[in-house]
């Protein structure tokens, strides 16, 4: 494609933001243009917003206006404009971006696609477009280009665990911005676990009064002798949650909450001891768990427990409009149920075969309950054990096997195998890697991750909703540690989730690394404390803190 020369000369000595048209991450489907010919944005550039484009107009004017210092005032037509419009033929999340000498035309297949196109426009303006205030003597220009783009998957997720280490609201909002910049559209919000309960439930106030705080915290892997001997905790009020959900919606991100049942529930049992297996242990002696691993203390399979959590989910549905509600369902030890007369009586009453089927009954109860209210249950792949709940979807974390089984049975799947996209796993085998957990998963490893198993037929593959990277925070005590583990690998994951890439072995990782050279500058402008390509900086290391490294390549099954 050939473009005419730019309409305005840019010969001043001011610093210019210049981005190669091929430096966009995630990689667009089609890009054609010239990085040496430009349209310049200036104080007279207007934004022309057609009907249905108001959300992106507001974001564009606020975000790019802050970074550039340009007014980007509303306009009605003519030259020197950024025009926003919709065209349903592009598909809901598709977009087309055309930069010509006289202006910019950004078209979305729907409001979602328009917003994703605005992320591409921002990248093309250069790294300083990611700042919150203008730097002096900057001149802003866009390469003449035509981009046609749409995502591969409709679920492009990030799981953020705020139960193990609480992330204040401002940090969550920041991560929503980072997700939007990478065209990720699902925040899986892990709100409860043994180590903390993070969402206000008005009818059960002790969940946060008691369950959101622990007396101390294990520092490092659970085998570490180190402790942080001070209370840790926090929770989101219901208004905080409403703000987070609204902020996400403005960025076309869906927030899917997770409330763990029947395992990973010690914080809830510490707050309300009657929820536990009181005929096996003294649940009144339990506190919010202060170490890591899988707690043996699980919910009792009683009517009281079901009614309690129905109340929790009733309040949750008012806060989260998402199609899916995540109920956990993973890592539920059955020892207490085996020793509990109450649990054994329930098994006999329901004519169940064993404790696995008892867990399936528990999950199926909430599957039905949610379906009656127009929602869908999703859980970790343990919900396959004892029989898969009829309408449930599966987060396949223990490798690919659970996702394959679920898809073959006609259930929807989100692929997030631990061995591939758990970002708490270490990024390098070097001794300086902080708190090394799990297998080595480099930037290249994540870039070569394939969410759709080759074993699935085309019809079965249609049940793969998409993919998700998981950030578990046992050894991430603050924002700096979360940044280090998450980035830059989240950029590689975002391209896997969005772009139509070749087979893993055929992917151009060298080309991706070249584009990352520009992307690191964007992350710098955003203040992201990523792992540098050369290894951790001195203040990113954690010498003497025990991890749990696993040698060798991870299983790919």
């Amino acid at each position: 494609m050939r473009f005419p020369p730019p309409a305005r000369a840019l010969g001043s000595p001011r610093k210019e933001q210049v981005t190669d048209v091929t430096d966009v991450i995630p990689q667009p489907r089609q890009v054609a243009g010239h990085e040496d010919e430009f349209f310049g944005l200036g104080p007279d550039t207007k934004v022309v917003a057609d009907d249905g484009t108001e959300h992106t107009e507001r974001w564009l004017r606020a975000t790019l206006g802050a970074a550039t210092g340009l007014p980007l005032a509303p306009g009605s037509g003519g030259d020197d404009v950024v025009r926003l419009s919709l065209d349903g033929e592009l598909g809901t999340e598709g977009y087309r971006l055309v930069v010509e000498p006289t202006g910019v035309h950004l078209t979305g297949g729907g409001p979602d696609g328009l917003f994703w196109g605005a992320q591409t426009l921002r990248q093309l303006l250069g790294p300083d477009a990611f700042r919150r205030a203008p730097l002096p003597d900057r001149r802003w220009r866009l390469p003449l280009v035509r981009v046609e783009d749409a995502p591969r998957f409709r679920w492009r997720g990030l799981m953020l665990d705020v139960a193990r280490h609480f992330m204040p609201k401002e940090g969550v909002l920041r991560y929503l911005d980072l997700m939007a910049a990478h065209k990720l559209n699902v925040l899986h919000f892990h709100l409860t676990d043994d180590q903390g309960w993070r969402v206000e439930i008005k009818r059960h106030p002790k969940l946060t009064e008691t369950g959101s705080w622990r007396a101390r915290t294990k520092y490092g892997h659970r085998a570490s002798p180190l402790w942080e001997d001070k209370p840790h905790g926090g929770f989101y009020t219901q208004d905080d949650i409403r703000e987070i959900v609204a902020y996400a919606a403005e960025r076309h991100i869906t927030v899917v909450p997770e409330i763990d049942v029947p395992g990973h529930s010690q914080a809830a049992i510490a707050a309300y001891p009657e929820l536990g297996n009181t005929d096996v242990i003294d649940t009144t002696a339990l506190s919010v768990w202060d170490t890591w691993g899988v707690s043996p203390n699980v919910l009792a399979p009683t009517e009281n427990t079901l009614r309690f959590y129905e109340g929790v989910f009733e309040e949750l549905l008012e806060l989260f409009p998402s199609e899916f509600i995540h109920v956990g369902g993973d890592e539920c030890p059955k020892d207490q149920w085996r020793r509990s007369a109450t649990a054994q009586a329930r098994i006999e009453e329901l004519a169940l075969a064993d404790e696995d089927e008892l867990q399936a009954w528990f999950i199926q109860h909430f599957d039905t309950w949610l379906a009656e209210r127009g929602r869908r249950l999703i859980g970790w792949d343990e919900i396959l054990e004892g029989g898969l709940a009829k309408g449930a979807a599966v987060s396949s974390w223990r490798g690919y096997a659970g996702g394959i089984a679920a898809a073959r049975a006609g259930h929807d799947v989100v692929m997030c195998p631990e061995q591939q996209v758990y970002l708490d796993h270490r990024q390098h085998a070097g001794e300086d890697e902080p708190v090394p957990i799990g297998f080595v998963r480099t930037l290249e490893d994540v870039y070569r991750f394939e969410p759709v198993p080759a074993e699935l037929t085309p019809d079965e593959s249609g049940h793969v909703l998409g993919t998700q990277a998981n950030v578990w925070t046992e050894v991430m005590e603050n924002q700096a540690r979360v940044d280090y583990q998450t980035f830059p690998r989240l950029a590689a994951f975002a391209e896997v989730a969005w772009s139509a890439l070749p087979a893993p072995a055929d992917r151009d990782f060298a080309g991706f690394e070249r584009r990352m050279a520009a992307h690191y500058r964007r992350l710098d402008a955003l203040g992201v404390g990523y792992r540098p390509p050369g290894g951790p900086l001195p203040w990113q290391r954690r010498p003497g803190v025990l991890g749990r490294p696993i040698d060798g390549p991870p299983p790919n099954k």
Side-chain angles (χ1 to χ4, degrees):
M1 177 178 292
R2 185 67 187 164
F3 291 88
R8 54 180 74 172
L10 298 175
S12 81
R14 291 181 179 181
K15 296 179 181 179
E16 297 172 349
Q17 290 287 288
V18 179
T19 295
D20 190 316
V21 296
T22 63
D23 279 344
V24 175
I25 291 177
Q27 187 176 53
R29 292 192 176 189
Q30 298 178 24
V31 180
H34 298 279
E35 59 266 23
D36 56 351
E37 298 177 5
F38 305 93
F39 164 73
L41 276 68
D44 297 326
T45 302
K46 302 291 193 295
V47 176
V48 179
D50 293 350
D51 290 343
T53 67
E54 296 81 9
H55 282 181
T56 294
E57 177 199 17
R58 183 162 56 247
W59 180 88
L60 200 68
R61 296 184 65 208
T63 305
L64 294 188
T68 64
L70 300 175
L72 300 177
S76 57
D79 294 342
D80 198 9
V81 300
V82 177
R83 176 178 291 279
L84 308 177
S85 62
L86 299 178
D87 178 356
E89 293 187 3
L90 293 173
T92 302
E93 290 195 276
Y95 69 89
R96 179 174 58 243
L97 174 62
V98 179
V99 182
E100 297 178 324
T102 55
V104 179
H105 191 180
L106 175 58
T107 309
D112 291 352
L114 187 73
F115 184 74
W116 304 133
Q119 304 308 312
T120 297
L121 187 154
R122 186 189 193 189
Q123 288 196 21
L124 291 173
L125 275 172
D128 286 342
F130 290 79
R131 298 188 182 277
R132 296 185 182 180
L135 300 180
D137 299 323
R138 290 300 192 271
R139 188 183 290 272
W140 301 94
R141 60 185 195 172
L142 289 164
L144 302 190
V145 68
R146 181 184 181 92
V147 180
E148 298 262 3
D149 201 9
R152 179 185 179 190
F153 294 111
R154 72 179 181 98
W155 185 302
R156 306 180 301 280
L158 174 69
M159 195 288 303
L160 189 59
D161 170 25
V162 297
R164 272 54 175 273
H165 277 101
F166 178 65
M167 179 179 285
K169 179 190 70 178
E170 291 75 12
V172 177
L173 300 180
R174 173 178 178 264
Y175 259 81
L176 288 167
D177 281 329
L178 293 173
M179 289 177 65
H182 292 82
K183 300 186 175 76
L184 299 174
N185 69 340
V186 178
L187 174 65
H188 175 171
F189 207 17
H190 184 75
L191 288 165
T192 73
D193 217 293
D194 300 306
Q195 295 86 2
W197 185 286
R198 306 295 180 213
V199 57
E200 177 188 26
I201 303 297
K202 292 185 181 295
R203 73 188 72 185
H204 302 308
K206 291 181 182 178
L207 287 172
T208 47
E209 290 172 2
T210 299
S212 70
W213 294 92
R214 58 180 182 260
R216 62 176 187 169
T217 299
K218 175 68 70 172
Y219 191 40
H221 183 255
R222 61 181 175 273
S224 168
L226 304 177
W227 294 88
E228 186 177 43
D229 286 308
K230 67 177 183 180
H232 175 86
F235 66 93
Y236 309 104
T237 68
Q238 293 199 354
D239 281 344
D240 289 338
I241 293 293
R242 292 185 181 97
E243 179 183 356
I244 288 168
V245 170
Y247 194 86
E250 286 282 334
R251 286 145 185 81
H252 299 266
I253 295 170
T254 298
V255 183
V256 175
E258 178 178 350
I259 301 293
D260 268 300
V261 295
H264 286 290
S265 298
Q266 184 166 323
I269 298 169
Y272 292 93
E274 65 271 21
L275 295 174
N277 294 283
T278 56
D279 59 345
V280 175
I281 64 165
D282 178 11
T283 56
T284 63
L286 294 178
S287 59
V288 178
W289 216 25
D290 57 12
T291 189
W292 316 125
V294 178
S295 169
N297 299 300
V298 303
L299 297 175
T302 64
E303 291 299 318
N304 174 67
T305 300
L306 296 180
R307 299 294 88 76
F308 183 97
Y309 274 87
E310 286 172 358
V312 169
F313 283 118
E314 281 179 6
E315 294 194 27
L316 210 69
L317 296 190
E318 294 178 0
L319 298 172
F320 295 94
S322 55
E323 174 186 3
F324 289 97
I325 302 295
H326 208 292
V327 301
D330 63 316
E331 296 180 325
C332 179
K334 308 298 194 297
D335 182 63
Q336 289 185 358
W337 286 355
R338 293 186 186 98
R339 294 186 289 131
S340 165
T342 300
Q344 293 303 311
R346 178 69 87 177
I347 289 173
E348 183 176 355
E349 172 196 347
L350 298 170
L352 302 176
D354 55 22
E355 290 77 18
D356 284 343
E357 287 197 3
L358 182 61
Q359 178 173 343
W361 165 82
F362 200 107
I363 297 298
Q364 286 164 3
H365 174 86
F366 286 103
D367 179 41
T368 301
W369 190 92
L370 288 168
E372 289 172 348
R373 290 154 180 80
R375 306 297 185 94
R376 293 182 65 189
L377 178 146
I378 186 169
W380 303 109
D381 55 52
E382 281 93 331
I383 67 174
L384 292 162
E385 297 169 4
L388 183 61
K390 181 179 178 182
V394 169
S395 300
S396 186
W397 76 274
R398 295 179 299 177
Y400 289 99
I404 292 170
R408 286 177 173 167
H411 295 272
D412 289 338
V413 178
V414 175
M415 285 293 185
C416 48
E418 174 187 19
Q419 302 89 342
Q420 312 299 328
V421 287
Y422 269 34
L423 300 186
D424 52 313
H425 282 211
R426 57 192 174 135
Q427 304 181 62
H428 193 274
E431 293 183 359
D432 287 336
E433 210 62 32
V435 200
I437 299 295
F439 295 102
V440 172
R441 293 286 85 190
T442 66
L443 184 67
E444 181 173 0
D445 291 329
V446 174
Y447 190 68
R448 297 193 189 280
F449 163 61
E450 173 49 50
V452 179
E455 297 94 320
L456 296 180
T457 67
D459 285 346
E460 292 165 349
S461 297
H463 285 291
V464 179
L465 299 176
T467 185
Q468 178 174 289
N470 293 344
V471 180
W472 299 104
T473 61
E474 287 94 333
V475 298
M476 301 181 212
E477 71 277 9
N478 55 36
Q479 176 178 292
R481 284 286 295 124
V482 174
D483 277 7
Y484 180 90
Q485 292 297 136
T486 304
F487 289 97
R489 292 182 295 181
L490 192 67
F493 172 81
E495 184 146 310
V496 168
W498 177 279
S499 304
L501 298 177
D506 298 328
R507 293 177 187 172
D508 181 12
F509 180 69
F512 177 76
E513 278 193 306
R514 181 192 60 76
R515 286 182 287 125
M516 278 301 299
H519 201 65
Y520 285 122
R521 295 171 60 205
R522 298 177 191 127
L523 297 178
D524 287 336
L526 287 165
V528 176
Y530 58 85
R531 181 189 189 276
L537 299 168
W539 54 86
Q540 293 174 321
R541 299 167 188 164
R542 295 291 188 276
V545 182
L546 187 66
R548 184 183 61 90
I550 303 175
D551 294 328
N556 189 28
K557 61 181 180 179

